[in-house]
């Protein structure tokens, strides 16, 4: 599955690295990534391009509770489940959701 699309890139460019909101739970989720075979959910609310790489910012849960932070797109693209050999997926149905709606 393609994790980055032109539409997602456009939204990230419009928002920038951090969303401009007073309450981050109200931030719009631009894209949600998840590991269908284990721990890992990333609710991306911003990002910026550095050369050919995207640095994404959002609320993530990777087995130790939710926390705000950043992840490189290539890290998500390169991950493969040790058991199944499959990678991270993009949620196609979270458009218009807020962080608080998805946690």
């Amino acid at each position: 599955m393609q994790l980055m699309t032109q539409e997602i890139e456009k939204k990230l460019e419009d928002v920038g690295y951090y969303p401009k909101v007073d309450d981050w739970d109200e931030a719009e989720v631009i894209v949600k990534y998840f590991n269908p075979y284990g721990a890992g959910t990333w609710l991306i609310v911003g990002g910026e391009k550095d050369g050919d790489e995207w640095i994404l910012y959002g609320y993530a849960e990777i087995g130790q509770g939710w926390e705000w932070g950043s992840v490189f797109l290539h890290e998500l693209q390169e991950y493969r489940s040790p058991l199944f050999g499959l990678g991270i997926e993009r949620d196609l149905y979270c458009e218009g959701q807020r962080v608080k709606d998805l946690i």
Side-chain angles (χ1 to χ4, degrees):
M1 164 175 277
Q2 186 178 6
L3 297 184
M4 183 62 72
T5 65
Q6 288 180 344
E7 181 180 338
I8 295 169
E9 284 188 1
K10 173 72 171 111
K11 287 181 180 180
L12 289 170
E13 289 168 353
D14 289 346
V15 170
Y17 187 69
Y18 295 116
K20 294 162 185 65
V21 294
D22 292 329
D23 180 356
W24 287 39
D25 287 342
E26 293 289 336
E28 179 183 351
V29 175
I30 295 170
V31 60
K32 174 184 173 185
Y33 298 117
F34 65 97
N35 178 358
Y37 308 101
T41 301
W42 296 263
L43 306 177
I44 304 302
V45 299
E48 66 184 7
K49 199 164 188 178
D50 183 18
D52 291 335
E53 177 64 275
W54 277 99
I55 305 168
L56 306 171
Y57 188 80
Y59 205 42
E61 201 291 316
I62 52 175
Q64 303 199 6
W66 288 95
E67 62 183 67
W68 290 97
S70 59
V71 64
F72 289 98
L73 178 62
H74 83 267
E75 293 175 318
L76 298 175
Q77 291 171 326
E78 292 172 2
Y79 175 81
R80 293 292 174 260
S81 165
L83 186 57
F84 299 103
L86 300 171
I88 302 299
E89 300 277 336
R90 178 170 45 92
D91 185 336
L92 302 177
Y93 305 102
C94 74
E95 187 172 338
Q97 299 285 327
R98 305 263 175 229
V99 169
K100 70 178 185 177
D101 300 327
L102 297 172
I103 56 172

